Amino acid sequence: MSRKTARENAFRLVYEFLQTGERNEFTKELLCADADAADVSFTSALYDAVIENYEFLKTVIARYAKDFAFERIYKTDLAAMMIATCEILLDMDVPEKVAVNEALELCRTYSTEKSTSFVNGILASVIVHKDELREERQNEGDDD
């Protein structure tokens, strides 16, 4: 398995979470059955980071999805954006360009023709405001 495949597995898990509202370890085991330890670790870390930071990621995406209610965003687009936003904002050791390109590739494969420009626009805003968003997240953590 490659990192690209590991990311796609995380995408599938996040999509399932968005549909059901529940974490599913059984699905993760099935998806990662033939993977090496590094890829399983990457899939798990990415999936866990999205789930643990879901409310923050939701707030960020909703903020930049102007004129689109969060609940009406296609779940495939949302899963791709959650993963990329997580990689960009939570220091997942993934270059921004790679995070965006992989999200767009997932949208090309699993979503609509218009999804790539929508997702690209939101991720571009996330990158522009990255420092501010990281500080906001840090301040949220300080309030706990």
Side-chain angles (χ1 to χ4, degrees), residues 39-76:
D39 290 335
V40 171
S41 177
F42 180 76
T43 298
S44 293
L46 190 51
Y47 177 53
D48 292 344
V50 169
I51 302 304
E52 290 166 14
N53 294 282
Y54 175 76
E55 289 301 323
F56 173 70
L57 297 171
K58 177 180 173 180
T59 301
V60 169
I61 292 168
R63 181 180 305 166
Y64 298 115
K66 297 185 182 355
D67 300 326
F68 285 90
F70 182 83
E71 295 76 25
R72 301 226 25 210
I73 297 173
Y74 291 136
K75 299 293 189 246
T76 50

mmCIF file of all heavy atoms in Angstrom, residues 39-76:
data_model
loop_
_atom_site.group_PDB
_atom_site.id
_atom_site.type_symbol
_atom_site.label_atom_id
_atom_site.label_comp_id
_atom_site.label_asym_id
_atom_site.label_seq_id
_atom_site.Cartn_x
_atom_site.Cartn_y
_atom_site.Cartn_z
ATOM 1 N N ASP A 39 1.768 2.337 6.757
ATOM 2 C CA ASP A 39 0.527 2.803 6.138
ATOM 3 C C ASP A 39 -0.658 2.695 7.091
ATOM 4 O O ASP A 39 -1.520 3.569 7.122
ATOM 5 C CB ASP A 39 0.258 2.045 4.841
ATOM 6 C CG ASP A 39 1.235 2.417 3.744
ATOM 7 O OD1 ASP A 39 1.790 3.529 3.785
ATOM 8 O OD2 ASP A 39 1.453 1.582 2.846
ATOM 9 N N VAL A 40 -0.698 1.634 7.877
ATOM 10 C CA VAL A 40 -1.758 1.495 8.874
ATOM 11 C C VAL A 40 -1.644 2.626 9.888
ATOM 12 O O VAL A 40 -2.644 3.237 10.277
ATOM 13 C CB VAL A 40 -1.694 0.119 9.580
ATOM 14 C CG1 VAL A 40 -2.647 0.063 10.766
ATOM 15 C CG2 VAL A 40 -1.999 -0.995 8.594
ATOM 16 N N SER A 41 -0.428 2.930 10.278
ATOM 17 C CA SER A 41 -0.200 4.016 11.227
ATOM 18 C C SER A 41 -0.657 5.352 10.656
ATOM 19 O O SER A 41 -1.306 6.144 11.347
ATOM 20 C CB SER A 41 1.288 4.068 11.589
ATOM 21 O OG SER A 41 1.539 5.138 12.450
ATOM 22 N N PHE A 42 -0.345 5.615 9.382
ATOM 23 C CA PHE A 42 -0.752 6.867 8.746
ATOM 24 C C PHE A 42 -2.275 6.954 8.637
ATOM 25 O O PHE A 42 -2.874 7.972 8.978
ATOM 26 C CB PHE A 42 -0.114 7.007 7.359
ATOM 27 C CG PHE A 42 -0.488 8.267 6.648
ATOM 28 C CD1 PHE A 42 0.086 9.477 7.001
ATOM 29 C CD2 PHE A 42 -1.424 8.258 5.622
ATOM 30 C CE1 PHE A 42 -0.266 10.651 6.354
ATOM 31 C CE2 PHE A 42 -1.782 9.421 4.960
ATOM 32 C CZ PHE A 42 -1.200 10.621 5.335
ATOM 33 N N THR A 43 -2.908 5.875 8.183
ATOM 34 C CA THR A 43 -4.371 5.845 8.075
ATOM 35 C C THR A 43 -5.002 6.101 9.434
ATOM 36 O O THR A 43 -5.903 6.937 9.564
ATOM 37 C CB THR A 43 -4.865 4.487 7.518
ATOM 38 O OG1 THR A 43 -4.352 4.306 6.204
ATOM 39 C CG2 THR A 43 -6.382 4.419 7.478
ATOM 40 N N SER A 44 -4.538 5.400 10.438
ATOM 41 C CA SER A 44 -5.098 5.541 11.785
ATOM 42 C C SER A 44 -4.884 6.943 12.346
ATOM 43 O O SER A 44 -5.804 7.531 12.911
ATOM 44 C CB SER A 44 -4.480 4.515 12.733
ATOM 45 O OG SER A 44 -4.872 3.224 12.364
ATOM 46 N N ALA A 45 -3.683 7.469 12.176
ATOM 47 C CA ALA A 45 -3.389 8.802 12.706
ATOM 48 C C ALA A 45 -4.267 9.858 12.047
ATOM 49 O O ALA A 45 -4.807 10.749 12.710
ATOM 50 C CB ALA A 45 -1.912 9.133 12.509
ATOM 51 N N LEU A 46 -4.421 9.757 10.735
ATOM 52 C CA LEU A 46 -5.227 10.732 10.002
ATOM 53 C C LEU A 46 -6.701 10.604 10.386
ATOM 54 O O LEU A 46 -7.367 11.604 10.685
ATOM 55 C CB LEU A 46 -5.025 10.531 8.500
ATOM 56 C CG LEU A 46 -5.593 11.583 7.563
ATOM 57 C CD1 LEU A 46 -5.183 12.990 7.962
ATOM 58 C CD2 LEU A 46 -5.127 11.294 6.139
ATOM 59 N N TYR A 47 -7.208 9.400 10.402
ATOM 60 C CA TYR A 47 -8.606 9.158 10.782
ATOM 61 C C TYR A 47 -8.869 9.631 12.204
ATOM 62 O O TYR A 47 -9.830 10.368 12.465
ATOM 63 C CB TYR A 47 -8.898 7.664 10.628
ATOM 64 C CG TYR A 47 -10.274 7.208 11.030
ATOM 65 C CD1 TYR A 47 -11.426 7.809 10.530
ATOM 66 C CD2 TYR A 47 -10.434 6.124 11.890
ATOM 67 C CE1 TYR A 47 -12.681 7.351 10.876
ATOM 68 C CE2 TYR A 47 -11.691 5.659 12.235
ATOM 69 C CZ TYR A 47 -12.812 6.278 11.734
ATOM 70 O OH TYR A 47 -14.056 5.813 12.081
ATOM 71 N N ASP A 48 -8.002 9.258 13.127
ATOM 72 C CA ASP A 48 -8.174 9.662 14.525
ATOM 73 C C ASP A 48 -8.106 11.182 14.679
ATOM 74 O O ASP A 48 -8.890 11.769 15.434
ATOM 75 C CB ASP A 48 -7.116 9.004 15.411
ATOM 76 C CG ASP A 48 -7.305 7.501 15.530
ATOM 77 O OD1 ASP A 48 -8.398 6.997 15.196
ATOM 78 O OD2 ASP A 48 -6.333 6.823 15.943
ATOM 79 N N ALA A 49 -7.199 11.829 13.972
ATOM 80 C CA ALA A 49 -7.068 13.286 14.064
ATOM 81 C C ALA A 49 -8.331 13.985 13.556
ATOM 82 O O ALA A 49 -8.779 14.973 14.150
ATOM 83 C CB ALA A 49 -5.847 13.761 13.281
ATOM 84 N N VAL A 50 -8.903 13.485 12.479
ATOM 85 C CA VAL A 50 -10.145 14.078 11.963
ATOM 86 C C VAL A 50 -11.272 13.902 12.978
ATOM 87 O O VAL A 50 -11.995 14.855 13.282
ATOM 88 C CB VAL A 50 -10.542 13.484 10.592
ATOM 89 C CG1 VAL A 50 -11.954 13.897 10.198
ATOM 90 C CG2 VAL A 50 -9.549 13.916 9.518
ATOM 91 N N ILE A 51 -11.415 12.710 13.526
ATOM 92 C CA ILE A 51 -12.495 12.445 14.480
ATOM 93 C C ILE A 51 -12.312 13.282 15.746
ATOM 94 O O ILE A 51 -13.251 13.914 16.228
ATOM 95 C CB ILE A 51 -12.573 10.941 14.849
ATOM 96 C CG1 ILE A 51 -12.779 10.075 13.608
ATOM 97 C CG2 ILE A 51 -13.666 10.691 15.888
ATOM 98 C CD1 ILE A 51 -13.963 10.403 12.761
ATOM 99 N N GLU A 52 -11.098 13.331 16.263
ATOM 100 C CA GLU A 52 -10.829 14.074 17.498
ATOM 101 C C GLU A 52 -10.994 15.581 17.318
ATOM 102 O O GLU A 52 -11.312 16.283 18.270
ATOM 103 C CB GLU A 52 -9.415 13.763 17.994
ATOM 104 C CG GLU A 52 -9.272 12.355 18.515
ATOM 105 C CD GLU A 52 -7.816 11.932 18.696
ATOM 106 O OE1 GLU A 52 -6.918 12.797 18.663
ATOM 107 O OE2 GLU A 52 -7.596 10.722 18.840
ATOM 108 N N ASN A 53 -10.781 16.074 16.124
ATOM 109 C CA ASN A 53 -10.871 17.511 15.855
ATOM 110 C C ASN A 53 -12.068 17.861 14.979
ATOM 111 O O ASN A 53 -12.112 18.917 14.359
ATOM 112 C CB ASN A 53 -9.579 17.987 15.182
ATOM 113 C CG ASN A 53 -8.407 17.869 16.114
ATOM 114 O OD1 ASN A 53 -8.219 18.693 16.989
ATOM 115 N ND2 ASN A 53 -7.633 16.801 15.950
ATOM 116 N N TYR A 54 -13.047 16.980 14.955
ATOM 117 C CA TYR A 54 -14.190 17.139 14.055
ATOM 118 C C TYR A 54 -14.875 18.502 14.207
ATOM 119 O O TYR A 54 -15.133 19.180 13.208
ATOM 120 C CB TYR A 54 -15.205 16.012 14.277
ATOM 121 C CG TYR A 54 -16.465 16.195 13.466
ATOM 122 C CD1 TYR A 54 -16.471 15.929 12.106
ATOM 123 C CD2 TYR A 54 -17.641 16.671 14.064
ATOM 124 C CE1 TYR A 54 -17.620 16.116 11.344
ATOM 125 C CE2 TYR A 54 -18.783 16.854 13.309
ATOM 126 C CZ TYR A 54 -18.761 16.584 11.962
ATOM 127 O OH TYR A 54 -19.892 16.783 11.207
ATOM 128 N N GLU A 55 -15.176 18.901 15.408
ATOM 129 C CA GLU A 55 -15.901 20.168 15.616
ATOM 130 C C GLU A 55 -15.085 21.363 15.119
ATOM 131 O O GLU A 55 -15.627 22.271 14.490
ATOM 132 C CB GLU A 55 -16.291 20.350 17.080
ATOM 133 C CG GLU A 55 -17.395 19.408 17.531
ATOM 134 C CD GLU A 55 -18.694 19.542 16.726
ATOM 135 O OE1 GLU A 55 -19.064 20.669 16.352
ATOM 136 O OE2 GLU A 55 -19.325 18.499 16.462
ATOM 137 N N PHE A 56 -13.793 21.357 15.380
ATOM 138 C CA PHE A 56 -12.939 22.444 14.888
ATOM 139 C C PHE A 56 -12.893 22.446 13.365
ATOM 140 O O PHE A 56 -13.066 23.490 12.732
ATOM 141 C CB PHE A 56 -11.525 22.310 15.466
ATOM 142 C CG PHE A 56 -10.549 23.285 14.881
ATOM 143 C CD1 PHE A 56 -10.637 24.634 15.156
ATOM 144 C CD2 PHE A 56 -9.539 22.853 14.033
ATOM 145 C CE1 PHE A 56 -9.742 25.546 14.607
ATOM 146 C CE2 PHE A 56 -8.640 23.746 13.472
ATOM 147 C CZ PHE A 56 -8.737 25.097 13.767
ATOM 148 N N LEU A 57 -12.681 21.289 12.766
ATOM 149 C CA LEU A 57 -12.623 21.191 11.305
ATOM 150 C C LEU A 57 -13.949 21.606 10.682
ATOM 151 O O LEU A 57 -13.986 22.292 9.661
ATOM 152 C CB LEU A 57 -12.249 19.769 10.879
ATOM 153 C CG LEU A 57 -10.865 19.285 11.328
ATOM 154 C CD1 LEU A 57 -10.708 17.801 11.048
ATOM 155 C CD2 LEU A 57 -9.761 20.084 10.682
ATOM 156 N N LYS A 58 -15.043 21.206 11.295
ATOM 157 C CA LYS A 58 -16.380 21.581 10.826
ATOM 158 C C LYS A 58 -16.534 23.104 10.836
ATOM 159 O O LYS A 58 -17.018 23.686 9.861
ATOM 160 C CB LYS A 58 -17.435 20.926 11.720
ATOM 161 C CG LYS A 58 -18.854 21.288 11.383
ATOM 162 C CD LYS A 58 -19.813 20.596 12.332
ATOM 163 C CE LYS A 58 -21.241 21.075 12.123
ATOM 164 N NZ LYS A 58 -22.178 20.425 13.036
ATOM 165 N N THR A 59 -16.109 23.744 11.904
ATOM 166 C CA THR A 59 -16.194 25.194 12.022
ATOM 167 C C THR A 59 -15.376 25.883 10.941
ATOM 168 O O THR A 59 -15.829 26.850 10.316
ATOM 169 C CB THR A 59 -15.701 25.644 13.416
ATOM 170 O OG1 THR A 59 -16.507 25.014 14.402
ATOM 171 C CG2 THR A 59 -15.769 27.144 13.581
ATOM 172 N N VAL A 60 -14.175 25.405 10.703
ATOM 173 C CA VAL A 60 -13.295 25.993 9.692
ATOM 174 C C VAL A 60 -13.910 25.866 8.303
ATOM 175 O O VAL A 60 -13.995 26.842 7.555
ATOM 176 C CB VAL A 60 -11.892 25.333 9.728
ATOM 177 C CG1 VAL A 60 -11.059 25.740 8.523
ATOM 178 C CG2 VAL A 60 -11.174 25.692 11.024
ATOM 179 N N ILE A 61 -14.343 24.673 7.950
ATOM 180 C CA ILE A 61 -14.910 24.459 6.613
ATOM 181 C C ILE A 61 -16.185 25.271 6.436
ATOM 182 O O ILE A 61 -16.382 25.913 5.403
ATOM 183 C CB ILE A 61 -15.139 22.956 6.364
ATOM 184 C CG1 ILE A 61 -13.782 22.242 6.267
ATOM 185 C CG2 ILE A 61 -15.973 22.730 5.105
ATOM 186 C CD1 ILE A 61 -13.851 20.734 6.319
ATOM 187 N N ALA A 62 -17.037 25.282 7.443
ATOM 188 C CA ALA A 62 -18.286 26.057 7.368
ATOM 189 C C ALA A 62 -17.999 27.550 7.178
ATOM 190 O O ALA A 62 -18.709 28.230 6.431
ATOM 191 C CB ALA A 62 -19.122 25.826 8.622
ATOM 192 N N ARG A 63 -16.966 28.039 7.816
ATOM 193 C CA ARG A 63 -16.610 29.457 7.715
ATOM 194 C C ARG A 63 -16.278 29.859 6.280
ATOM 195 O O ARG A 63 -16.629 30.941 5.830
ATOM 196 C CB ARG A 63 -15.405 29.746 8.618
ATOM 197 C CG ARG A 63 -14.965 31.197 8.614
ATOM 198 C CD ARG A 63 -13.780 31.420 9.518
ATOM 199 N NE ARG A 63 -14.082 30.945 10.862
ATOM 200 C CZ ARG A 63 -13.176 30.748 11.805
ATOM 201 N NH1 ARG A 63 -11.900 30.981 11.558
ATOM 202 N NH2 ARG A 63 -13.523 30.314 12.985
ATOM 203 N N TYR A 64 -15.583 28.988 5.556
ATOM 204 C CA TYR A 64 -15.137 29.344 4.208
ATOM 205 C C TYR A 64 -16.048 28.808 3.103
ATOM 206 O O TYR A 64 -15.839 29.126 1.943
ATOM 207 C CB TYR A 64 -13.696 28.886 3.998
ATOM 208 C CG TYR A 64 -12.771 29.575 4.963
ATOM 209 C CD1 TYR A 64 -12.096 28.868 5.943
ATOM 210 C CD2 TYR A 64 -12.617 30.960 4.928
ATOM 211 C CE1 TYR A 64 -11.270 29.505 6.855
ATOM 212 C CE2 TYR A 64 -11.798 31.607 5.838
ATOM 213 C CZ TYR A 64 -11.132 30.871 6.801
ATOM 214 O OH TYR A 64 -10.332 31.520 7.700
ATOM 215 N N ALA A 65 -17.059 28.050 3.481
ATOM 216 C CA ALA A 65 -18.030 27.544 2.499
ATOM 217 C C ALA A 65 -19.158 28.567 2.368
ATOM 218 O O ALA A 65 -20.317 28.283 2.638
ATOM 219 C CB ALA A 65 -18.562 26.187 2.932
ATOM 220 N N LYS A 66 -18.802 29.743 1.957
ATOM 221 C CA LYS A 66 -19.758 30.841 1.865
ATOM 222 C C LYS A 66 -20.965 30.439 1.019
ATOM 223 O O LYS A 66 -20.828 29.829 -0.029
ATOM 224 C CB LYS A 66 -19.090 32.068 1.268
ATOM 225 C CG LYS A 66 -17.961 32.594 2.146
ATOM 226 C CD LYS A 66 -17.391 33.868 1.598
ATOM 227 C CE LYS A 66 -16.247 34.452 2.337
ATOM 228 N NZ LYS A 66 -15.762 33.941 3.518
ATOM 229 N N ASP A 67 -22.134 30.790 1.505
ATOM 230 C CA ASP A 67 -23.406 30.525 0.824
ATOM 231 C C ASP A 67 -23.746 29.038 0.724
ATOM 232 O O ASP A 67 -24.637 28.668 -0.026
ATOM 233 C CB ASP A 67 -23.436 31.163 -0.572
ATOM 234 C CG ASP A 67 -23.270 32.667 -0.515
ATOM 235 O OD1 ASP A 67 -23.755 33.286 0.453
ATOM 236 O OD2 ASP A 67 -22.660 33.229 -1.439
ATOM 237 N N PHE A 68 -23.014 28.188 1.437
ATOM 238 C CA PHE A 68 -23.331 26.761 1.470
ATOM 239 C C PHE A 68 -23.495 26.345 2.924
ATOM 240 O O PHE A 68 -22.563 26.478 3.713
ATOM 241 C CB PHE A 68 -22.202 25.921 0.850
ATOM 242 C CG PHE A 68 -22.141 25.983 -0.640
ATOM 243 C CD1 PHE A 68 -21.376 26.949 -1.274
ATOM 244 C CD2 PHE A 68 -22.858 25.076 -1.410
ATOM 245 C CE1 PHE A 68 -21.320 27.015 -2.648
ATOM 246 C CE2 PHE A 68 -22.803 25.135 -2.786
ATOM 247 C CZ PHE A 68 -22.040 26.101 -3.411
ATOM 248 N N ALA A 69 -24.661 25.843 3.260
ATOM 249 C CA ALA A 69 -24.863 25.322 4.609
ATOM 250 C C ALA A 69 -24.009 24.064 4.766
ATOM 251 O O ALA A 69 -23.961 23.226 3.860
ATOM 252 C CB ALA A 69 -26.334 24.989 4.828
ATOM 253 N N PHE A 70 -23.338 23.960 5.878
ATOM 254 C CA PHE A 70 -22.441 22.827 6.127
ATOM 255 C C PHE A 70 -23.152 21.496 5.884
ATOM 256 O O PHE A 70 -22.589 20.587 5.275
ATOM 257 C CB PHE A 70 -21.905 22.895 7.562
ATOM 258 C CG PHE A 70 -20.950 21.796 7.889
ATOM 259 C CD1 PHE A 70 -19.609 21.902 7.547
ATOM 260 C CD2 PHE A 70 -21.379 20.648 8.531
ATOM 261 C CE1 PHE A 70 -18.720 20.878 7.835
ATOM 262 C CE2 PHE A 70 -20.495 19.628 8.830
ATOM 263 C CZ PHE A 70 -19.165 19.750 8.477
ATOM 264 N N GLU A 71 -24.381 21.380 6.348
ATOM 265 C CA GLU A 71 -25.138 20.139 6.244
ATOM 266 C C GLU A 71 -25.445 19.768 4.800
ATOM 267 O O GLU A 71 -25.775 18.625 4.504
ATOM 268 C CB GLU A 71 -26.453 20.248 7.026
ATOM 269 C CG GLU A 71 -26.262 20.410 8.522
ATOM 270 C CD GLU A 71 -25.823 21.821 8.926
ATOM 271 O OE1 GLU A 71 -26.092 22.805 8.188
ATOM 272 O OE2 GLU A 71 -25.169 21.936 9.970
ATOM 273 N N ARG A 72 -25.358 20.723 3.873
ATOM 274 C CA ARG A 72 -25.709 20.456 2.486
ATOM 275 C C ARG A 72 -24.492 20.155 1.609
ATOM 276 O O ARG A 72 -24.637 19.864 0.431
ATOM 277 C CB ARG A 72 -26.468 21.655 1.912
ATOM 278 C CG ARG A 72 -27.717 21.917 2.727
ATOM 279 C CD ARG A 72 -28.971 22.163 2.035
ATOM 280 N NE ARG A 72 -29.097 21.619 0.722
ATOM 281 C CZ ARG A 72 -29.824 22.178 -0.216
ATOM 282 N NH1 ARG A 72 -30.471 23.286 0.028
ATOM 283 N NH2 ARG A 72 -29.927 21.628 -1.400
ATOM 284 N N ILE A 73 -23.316 20.234 2.171
ATOM 285 C CA ILE A 73 -22.102 19.924 1.410
ATOM 286 C C ILE A 73 -22.063 18.416 1.183
ATOM 287 O O ILE A 73 -22.310 17.627 2.105
ATOM 288 C CB ILE A 73 -20.835 20.387 2.158
ATOM 289 C CG1 ILE A 73 -20.850 21.904 2.330
ATOM 290 C CG2 ILE A 73 -19.574 19.942 1.414
ATOM 291 C CD1 ILE A 73 -19.719 22.441 3.219
ATOM 292 N N TYR A 74 -21.753 18.006 -0.046
ATOM 293 C CA TYR A 74 -21.640 16.574 -0.343
ATOM 294 C C TYR A 74 -20.675 15.928 0.638
ATOM 295 O O TYR A 74 -19.584 16.444 0.891
ATOM 296 C CB TYR A 74 -21.119 16.333 -1.756
ATOM 297 C CG TYR A 74 -22.056 16.706 -2.867
ATOM 298 C CD1 TYR A 74 -21.593 17.399 -3.974
ATOM 299 C CD2 TYR A 74 -23.396 16.346 -2.836
ATOM 300 C CE1 TYR A 74 -22.442 17.744 -5.022
ATOM 301 C CE2 TYR A 74 -24.254 16.673 -3.870
ATOM 302 C CZ TYR A 74 -23.778 17.371 -4.952
ATOM 303 O OH TYR A 74 -24.619 17.704 -5.975
ATOM 304 N N LYS A 75 -21.053 14.782 1.143
ATOM 305 C CA LYS A 75 -20.218 14.089 2.137
ATOM 306 C C LYS A 75 -18.860 13.687 1.560
ATOM 307 O O LYS A 75 -17.865 13.696 2.280
ATOM 308 C CB LYS A 75 -20.940 12.848 2.678
ATOM 309 C CG LYS A 75 -22.241 13.142 3.388
ATOM 310 C CD LYS A 75 -22.038 13.897 4.679
ATOM 311 C CE LYS A 75 -23.325 13.970 5.467
ATOM 312 N NZ LYS A 75 -23.866 15.301 5.601
ATOM 313 N N THR A 76 -18.818 13.376 0.273
ATOM 314 C CA THR A 76 -17.524 13.041 -0.324
ATOM 315 C C THR A 76 -16.606 14.266 -0.316
ATOM 316 O O THR A 76 -15.426 14.156 0.023
ATOM 317 C CB THR A 76 -17.691 12.524 -1.759
ATOM 318 O OG1 THR A 76 -18.502 13.428 -2.498
ATOM 319 C CG2 THR A 76 -18.296 11.143 -1.778
#
